[in-house]
C-alpha cells in the first residue's frame, strides 16, 4: 500500500505519520520547502504530544518521506489524501477552497493509474463532487474515484484520536474506492473500530454536524452556568448529573470562557452559511456562534467586575493563552479577545503559557511575558486562569497568594475547589459557581449581565 498526503498541517502530518505506523508507505508533500526540510529531519513544527517520537520511528523505518514534488507523492499511489488548509475567506467567512481545488488540479496532472483521491480537509458539502469535476476536466482519461474521509482528531490528543478513533467515516459509492480505503484502514478494521461507509455528501455533512453539535453542547452548558450563578446552583454538579444520563453523555460539558481553536469557530460559521445558501437555515448553530462570540467579551467584563469595576493601572496576571491545553495554538483563542479588552480598560498584563507564547506574541502586544506561573502572580491585583494546563492545577497557592497585591483569582476553567479557595482566603471567581469573597461564606454573584 502506498499513499500520498498533500499538505503537512495538523491533519496531514498526523494522518500521514499514523498511516505510516499502520505499515503503509507514505509520501507527504508540501509547498513550504523550509517545513519539508525540517520534517525530513524529524523536526515537527507544531506542538503535538507523541507526534515527534512517532514520526522519528517512521522515518527510521523508511516508511515516510517528505518532498516538495507532488509527482513523487502521486505517482504509484493507491490513494492521495488532500489535507491542505481551508481557512475562512476574509470577504465572507466561507471556507476558502482554492487550495483544495488547486491541489486537485495538480494531483490530476500527476496521476498515472487508478487512484483514489480523498478529501480529508474539512470541506463543505459538494466539495468532493467539485474535486471530481476538476480532475476530470484536467485529465479526461484519468482512472480515479474521489472519496470523502473527514478527520475528527483533536489538537493535543491527535495521535491517540487517530489511532483509536470513535469511528471512521468514508464517503464514496465506488466499490473499488471502498476496497482501497478498507485496506488503508485495515488495522482499525481489525480492532473493530466502527467504519461508516456512506455517500460523499453525507460524509462531508457529518464532520460539520459533529463539530456544530459539540460547539452547541459547550455553549449550552455555558449558558446554564450563567443561570447557576444567579440561582445559587453549581454548574459542575449539574454537568455531572446530566452527563450521567447516557442520552446526554458527560463529555464537552465543561463550562468555560467560550470555545475557540481553528475548528469550531470556523466550522460553525461555515455550516450556518451553507444552511443559508441552501435554504435550510441552521438557527440553533447561528445562535451558538453569536452567544459564543458575546461570551468571550463578557469574560473581560467579569474580570473587570472582580477587580471592583475598574482595572485602570491594575496589574492582571494571566495563566494560559492557548485555546486549550496541550497545544501551542492560539487561533481564535478566548485570550485574543479578552486580553486586548483588558488592555483597553487600562490594565497591565503579565502572562505565561507553557507552549503558546511564541504564537501569542504574533497577535498580542504589550504583554509582559514571563517564564513561569509564579512570576505572573507577583504583585498582581488579580490572577486569571484562562487555559487549564495541568501545571496550573497544582500550583502552591499559598505562595501565589502571598506574592500578589490582592489575593484575587478569576478561574475561567473551574480548576480549583471552592473549599480550598475559601481555606486559602482568596477572593475567588469561577464559572457557574458562587463567588467567594474574602473572609466570607460563598455568596451569590452580585454583578449582573455576566
Ligand atoms: C475539534 C473537535 O473536537 C475534533 O473532533 C475535530 O476533529 C477538530 O475540532 C477539527 O475539526 O479538526 P479541537 O479544535 O482540537 O477539536 O479542540 P476541542 O478539544 O474540541 O476543543 C475546542 C474548544 O472547546 C476549546 O476552546 C476548548 O477549550 C472548548 N471546550 C471543550 C470547552 O469549553 N468545554 C468543553 O467541555 C470542551
Amino acid at each position: 500500500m502506498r499513499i500520498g498526503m498533500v499538505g503537512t498541517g495538523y491533519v496531514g502530518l498526523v494522518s500521514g505519520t499514523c498511516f505510516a505506523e499502520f505499515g503503509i508507505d507514505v509520501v507527504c508533500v508540501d509547498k513550504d520547502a523550509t517545513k519539508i526540510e525540517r520534517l525530513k529531519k524529524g523536526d515537527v513544527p507544531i506542538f503535538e504530544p507523541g507526534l515527534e517520537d512517532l514520526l522519528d520511528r517512521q522515518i527510521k523505518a523508511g516508511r515516510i518521506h517528505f518532498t516538495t514534488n507532488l509527482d513523487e507523492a502521486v505517482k504509484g499511489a493507491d490513494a492521495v489524501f488532500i489535507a491542505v488548509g481551508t481557512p475562512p475567506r476574509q470577504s465572507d467567512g466561507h471556507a476558502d477552497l482554492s487550495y483544495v481545488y488547486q491541489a486537485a488540479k495538480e494531483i490530476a496532472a500527476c496521476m498515472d493509474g487508478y487512484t483514489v483521491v480523498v478529501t480529508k480537509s474539512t470541506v463543505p458539502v459538494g466539495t468532493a463532487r467539485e474535486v471530481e469535476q476538476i480532475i476530470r476536466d484536467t485529465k479526461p482519461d484519468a482512472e480515479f474515484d474521489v472519496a470523502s474521509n473527514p478527520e475528527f482528531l483533536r489538537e493535543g490528543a491527535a495521535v491517540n484520536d487517530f489511532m483509536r478513533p470513535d469511528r471512521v467515516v468514508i464517503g464514496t459509492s465506488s466499490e473499488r474506492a471502498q476496497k482501497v480505503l478498507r485496506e488503508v484502514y485495515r488495522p482499525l478494521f481489525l480492532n473493530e473500530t466502527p467504519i461508516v461507509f456512506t455517500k460523499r455528501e453525507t460524509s462531508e455533512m457529518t464532520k460539520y454536524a459533529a463539530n456544530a453539535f459539540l460547539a452547541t453542547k459547550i455553549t449550552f452548558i455555558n449558558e446554564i452556568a450563567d443561570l447557576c450563578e444567579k440561582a445559587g446552583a453549581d454548574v459542575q454538579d449539574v454537568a455531572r448529573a446530566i452527563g450521567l444520563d447516557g442520552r446526554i453523555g458527560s463529555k464537552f460539558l465543561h463550562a468555560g470562557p467560550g470555545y475557540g481553536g481553528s475548528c469550531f469557530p470556523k466550522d460553525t460559521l461555515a455550516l450556518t452559511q451553507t444552511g443559508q445558501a441552501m435554504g435550510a437555515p441552521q438557527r440553533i448553530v447561528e445562535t451558538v456562534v453569536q452567544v459564543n462570540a458575546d461570551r468571550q467579551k463578557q469574560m473581560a467584563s467579569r474580570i473587570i467586575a472582580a477587580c471592583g469595576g475598574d482595572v485602570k493601572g491594575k496589574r492582571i496576571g494571566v495563566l494560559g493563552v492557548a485555546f486549550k491545553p496541550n497545544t501551542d495554538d492560539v487561533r481564535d483563542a478566548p485570550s485574543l479577545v479578552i486580553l486586548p479588552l483588558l488592555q483597553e480598560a487600562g490594565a497591565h498584563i503579565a502572562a505565561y503559557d507553557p507552549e503558546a507564547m511564541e504564537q501569542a506574541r504574533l497577535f498580542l502586544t504589550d504583554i509582559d511575558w514571563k517564564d513561569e506561573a509564579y512570576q505572573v502572580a507577583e504583585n498582581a491585583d488579580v490572577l486569571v486562569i484562562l487555559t487549564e494546563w495541568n501545571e496550573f492545577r497544582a500550583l502552591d497557592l499559598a505562595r501565589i497568594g502571598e506574592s500578589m497585591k490582592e489575593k484575587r483569582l478569576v478561574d475561567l476553567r473551574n480548576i480549583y475547589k471552592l473549599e480550598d479557595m475559601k481555606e486559602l482566603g482568596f477572593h475567588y471567581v469561577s464559572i457557574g459557581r458562587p463567588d467567594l469573597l474574602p473572609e466570607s461564606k460563598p455568596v451569590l454573584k452580585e454583578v449582573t449581565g455576566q
Side-chain angles (χ1 to χ4, degrees), residues 29-48:
V29 60
D30 202 292
K31 289 191 164 156
D32 183 340
T34 323
K35 197 170 177 189
I36 288 297
E37 278 318 304
R38 282 181 71 175
L39 286 167
K40 276 183 182 167
K41 294 183 216 131
D43 180 7
V44 174
I46 49 173
F47 175 80
E48 185 59 43

Side-chain angles (χ1 to χ4, degrees), residues 10-11 122 150-157 161 167 207 210-211 214-215 217-219 221-222 250-267 292 296 322-325 327 329 331-334 386-388 413:
Y10 250 106
V11 170
T122 299
E151 191 41 67
F152 298 97
L153 54 82
R154 287 163 302 166
E155 290 183 17
D161 283 353
R167 77 321 206 168
K207 168 69 193 232
N211 274 2
L214 292 171
K217 207 174 173 189
I218 296 166
T219 306
I221 202 67
N222 283 343
S250 60
K251 294 184 179 156
F252 278 66
L253 283 179
H254 299 290
Y259 62 76
S262 65
C263 305
F264 285 177
K266 171 166 79 83
D267 295 350
N292 193 67
Q296 297 193 349
F323 81 99
K324 66 171 190 176
T327 176
D329 200 340
R331 280 176 288 177
D332 271 319
L386 215 46
T387 316
E388 68 278 32
R413 298 288 184 170

Side-chain angles (χ1 to χ4, degrees), residues 85-259:
T86 55
R89 268 195 317 235
Q90 290 294 333
S91 52
D92 56 6
H94 275 282
D96 179 354
L97 295 174
S98 55
Y99 302 104
V100 173
Y101 294 156
Q102 184 62 26
K105 213 180 273 176
E106 292 173 13
I107 290 166
C110 298
M111 279 175 3
D112 64 348
Y114 176 73
T115 314
V116 185
V117 177
V118 190
T119 51
K120 209 165 206 358
S121 310
T122 299
V123 287
V125 178
T127 305
R129 186 184 296 270
E130 187 67 30
V131 166
E132 182 174 302
Q133 195 54 51
I134 290 172
I135 296 177
R136 189 156 291 131
D137 290 347
T138 312
K139 196 168 188 171
D141 60 341
E143 230 193 316
F144 72 102
D145 280 301
V146 176
S148 152
N149 172 219
E151 191 41 67
F152 298 97
L153 54 82
R154 287 163 302 166
E155 290 183 17
V159 172
N160 189 62
D161 283 353
F162 195 95
M163 295 303 206
R164 279 168 283 277
D166 290 336
R167 77 321 206 168
V168 172
V169 178
I170 296 173
T172 175
S173 30
S174 148
E175 274 180 31
R176 199 171 175 191
Q178 272 193 28
K179 201 161 159 240
V180 170
L181 291 171
R182 200 172 263 130
E183 190 57 26
V184 167
Y185 281 107
R186 203 154 71 95
L188 298 185
F189 270 100
L190 294 177
N191 55 18
E192 298 184 356
T193 301
I195 315 252
V196 180
F197 281 105
T198 182
K199 281 177 70 177
R200 292 188 300 208
E201 286 77 6
T202 312
S203 166
E204 290 167 336
M205 182 63 81
T206 302
K207 168 69 193 232
Y208 283 96
N211 274 2
F213 185 84
L214 292 171
T216 303
K217 207 174 173 189
I218 296 166
T219 306
F220 172 81
I221 202 67
N222 283 343
E223 285 207 313
I224 291 289
D226 291 345
L227 190 54
C228 283
E229 288 165 15
K230 307 283 182 206
D234 182 327
V235 75
Q236 281 183 301
D237 289 346
V238 172
R240 178 156 185 273
I242 63 171
L244 286 167
D245 185 329
R247 293 168 301 174
I248 294 173
S250 60
K251 294 184 179 156
F252 278 66
L253 283 179
H254 299 290
Y259 62 76

Side-chain angles (χ1 to χ4, degrees), residues 181-430:
L181 291 171
R182 200 172 263 130
E183 190 57 26
V184 167
Y185 281 107
R186 203 154 71 95
L188 298 185
F189 270 100
L190 294 177
N191 55 18
E192 298 184 356
T193 301
I195 315 252
V196 180
F197 281 105
T198 182
K199 281 177 70 177
R200 292 188 300 208
E201 286 77 6
T202 312
S203 166
E204 290 167 336
M205 182 63 81
T206 302
K207 168 69 193 232
Y208 283 96
N211 274 2
F213 185 84
L214 292 171
T216 303
K217 207 174 173 189
I218 296 166
T219 306
F220 172 81
I221 202 67
N222 283 343
E223 285 207 313
I224 291 289
D226 291 345
L227 190 54
C228 283
E229 288 165 15
K230 307 283 182 206
D234 182 327
V235 75
Q236 281 183 301
D237 289 346
V238 172
R240 178 156 185 273
I242 63 171
L244 286 167
D245 185 329
R247 293 168 301 174
I248 294 173
S250 60
K251 294 184 179 156
F252 278 66
L253 283 179
H254 299 290
Y259 62 76
S262 65
C263 305
F264 285 177
K266 171 166 79 83
D267 295 350
T268 44
L269 194 63
L271 184 68
T272 61
Q273 280 165 340
T274 304
Q276 290 290 348
M278 293 192 170
Q282 300 296 295
R283 285 175 299 173
I284 293 175
V285 184
E286 282 170 9
T287 305
V288 164
V289 169
Q290 192 55 55
V291 170
N292 193 67
D294 290 348
R295 184 169 188 82
Q296 297 193 349
K297 292 186 205 125
Q298 282 160 5
M299 290 300 116
S301 315
R302 176 175 295 235
I303 296 163
I304 294 169
C307 293
D310 186 10
V311 290
K312 201 161 191 309
K314 294 217 165 129
R315 193 175 164 82
I316 300 182
V318 174
L319 296 182
V321 288
F323 81 99
K324 66 171 190 176
N326 295 324
T327 176
D328 60 355
D329 200 340
V330 299
R331 280 176 288 177
D332 271 319
S335 62
L336 300 192
V337 173
I338 298 170
L339 270 48
L341 285 173
L342 296 174
Q343 288 174 319
E344 253 171 55
H348 300 296
I349 296 180
Y352 164 73
D353 187 288
E355 295 293 338
M357 293 194 289
E358 201 182 314
Q359 287 298 318
R361 274 197 178 96
L362 305 174
F363 304 97
L364 294 168
T365 49
D366 292 328
I367 307 280
D368 184 7
W369 296 105
K370 300 291 188 188
D371 297 330
E372 45 121 28
Y374 294 102
Q375 290 175 4
V376 169
E378 266 167 39
N379 285 321
D381 292 279
V382 60
L383 187 64
V384 180
I385 295 172
L386 215 46
T387 316
E388 68 278 32
W389 284 93
N390 270 342
E391 66 175 79
F392 301 152
R393 293 176 190 272
L395 294 171
D396 179 348
L397 286 169
R399 178 178 160 197
I400 294 248
E402 271 161 34
S403 73
M404 293 177 71
K405 206 182 286 168
E406 301 274 347
K407 269 173 110 172
R408 202 181 275 137
L409 187 59
V410 178
D411 177 2
L412 298 182
R413 298 288 184 170
N414 285 356
I415 64 174
Y416 287 113
K417 289 201 176 112
L418 290 172
E419 309 88 83
D420 295 346
M421 292 298 112
K422 190 170 175 228
E423 183 84 24
L424 287 157
F426 269 91
H427 170 181
Y428 180 66
V429 174
S430 54

